[in-house]
Amino acid sequence: MSAEHPDALDLGPVPDLGLHREHVEPNATCETHAALGASFRCVVCKKDRCDACLFGKLGAREVCRECDDGGLPEPIPWELRGDRGVVRTFAETVRLVCLSPTAFFRTPALEDDAVGAFELGLLCFGIGQLAIVFQTFLFAVVGSGAVAIGSRMPAIALAAGGYGCVLLATIPALIVHVPVTAILSVGTASLGTHGTLGLFGAARAPFYSGTVRAMSYAFATQVWMLIPVIGPPISIVWMLIVEVIALREVHRTSTAMAVVAVLGFRVLFYGVIAAAGLAVMGVAMLAAR
């Protein structure tokens, strides 16, 4: 009974209302260090572990070090953004995805969904789109000016410079374009790759917390767009490479199977579009006769 409220029952601390902590028996021992008592049960391997085995914790989710086989030495920075700050963890996570993708995608997740990963991918996609707009604007204005001076044709400068200004004015439209395009891109890539893996019996991770999360983090490669001229092709190629690595590690499949999943649906998708376009052209030519 509570001394302050005699009629109220003392029910102890308020329980966690989110993900429930894995239950550990009172006398359980650590499955790695038998001499120590277990303090948590890993949400990945479901084994009882002691404090020395803890790799990372987020709310009620606790992951052991054995489940970080071949991964990063610490949890994914972006998943700790609430404690370490958004700017710092964003930069660290983008660097790891782009430069250490194998270790990154081998690292067990502390977040159990794809929301955080998509937020990071959305930010990177937005940065990439802004970089393309600004670079095109600068090339249009500066390039047209140089051509006009060299050829003494001011009309060229006015035309190209005007195009650059119009392009710059489309930046507010990115507020709508970026999230919609990101959702469609991540959704299409996730459905296509997961469906292909499922077709071959290689889809071993969940769709949402596995494939969608992996495809979302792969969007970190969009920051390569910040490099003028060579940035866009690097971004496209490196994104495909990161997607292959991500699927290989998340689904524990072969590199060849991951390549089939990443490229197969794209070939089919663009093949259908090309066939539809040819069919429309054919119908139009027949109607014109």
Side-chain angles (χ1 to χ4, degrees):
M1 304 291 284
S2 173
E4 186 175 353
H5 299 285
D7 297 330
L9 293 175
D10 185 4
L11 300 177
V14 177
D16 175 59
L17 298 179
L19 288 169
H20 296 290
R21 193 170 186 263
E22 292 288 336
H23 177 69
V24 181
E25 295 295 335
N27 298 323
T29 58
C30 176
E31 296 193 32
T32 300
H33 308 97
L36 300 177
S39 58
F40 74 97
R41 177 170 292 178
C42 177
V43 296
V44 178
C45 65
K46 308 297 182 182
K47 293 181 179 180
D48 294 336
R49 304 293 189 185
C50 64
D51 290 338
C53 296
L54 183 64
F55 169 70
K57 177 178 180 180
L58 186 64
R61 283 180 62 84
E62 294 163 302
V63 180
C64 72
R65 295 187 182 279
E66 284 193 16
C67 289
D68 183 46
D69 185 22
L72 301 172
E74 293 185 347
I76 293 171
W78 183 247
E79 297 185 333
L80 304 176
R81 58 193 178 280
D83 296 328
R84 299 184 181 179
V86 172
V87 176
R88 174 187 170 187
T89 55
F90 174 82
E92 290 177 351
T93 303
V94 169
R95 177 181 63 82
L96 291 169
V97 173
C98 291
L99 302 181
S100 304
T102 299
F104 181 90
F105 288 104
R106 284 183 182 176
T107 305
L110 298 185
E111 294 180 333
D112 72 319
D113 55 33
V115 175
F118 180 76
E119 290 173 348
L120 181 132
L122 180 61
L123 286 172
C124 293
F125 183 62
I127 290 172
Q129 294 299 296
L130 283 173
I132 290 176
V133 170
F134 277 113
Q135 289 175 30
T136 305
F137 165 75
L138 291 175
F139 286 139
V141 174
V142 175
S144 62
V147 171
I149 293 174
S151 62
R152 301 183 182 277
M153 297 176 62
I156 297 178
L158 290 175
Y163 168 74
C165 292
V166 170
L167 186 65
L168 198 64
T170 63
I171 288 180
L174 293 178
I175 297 174
V176 176
H177 157 69
V178 167
V180 172
T181 304
I183 291 173
L184 292 175
S185 298
V186 170
T188 302
S190 299
L191 287 170
T193 54
H194 197 89
T196 304
L197 290 174
L199 186 64
F200 289 93
R204 299 181 178 90
F207 172 71
Y208 181 57
S209 60
T211 304
V212 174
R213 176 177 171 274
M215 294 297 102
S216 297
Y217 272 130
F219 262 60
T221 54
Q222 292 287 306
V223 297
W224 289 108
M225 297 284 189
L226 291 170
I227 303 176
V229 183
I230 63 173
I234 291 176
S235 176
I236 294 171
V237 173
W238 198 241
M239 184 171 186
L240 294 175
I241 293 174
V242 169
E243 285 185 356
V244 169
I245 294 173
L247 292 178
R248 184 190 68 196
E249 300 303 326
V250 170
H251 288 275
R252 298 295 189 268
T253 187
S254 66
T255 300
M257 186 69 256
V259 170
V260 170
V262 169
L263 298 182
F265 88 92
R266 286 182 166 91
V267 171
L268 179 62
F269 179 75
Y270 290 114
V272 170
I273 292 178
L278 291 174
V280 171
M281 290 177 59
V283 171
M285 292 175 64
L286 290 173
R289 289 182 179 179

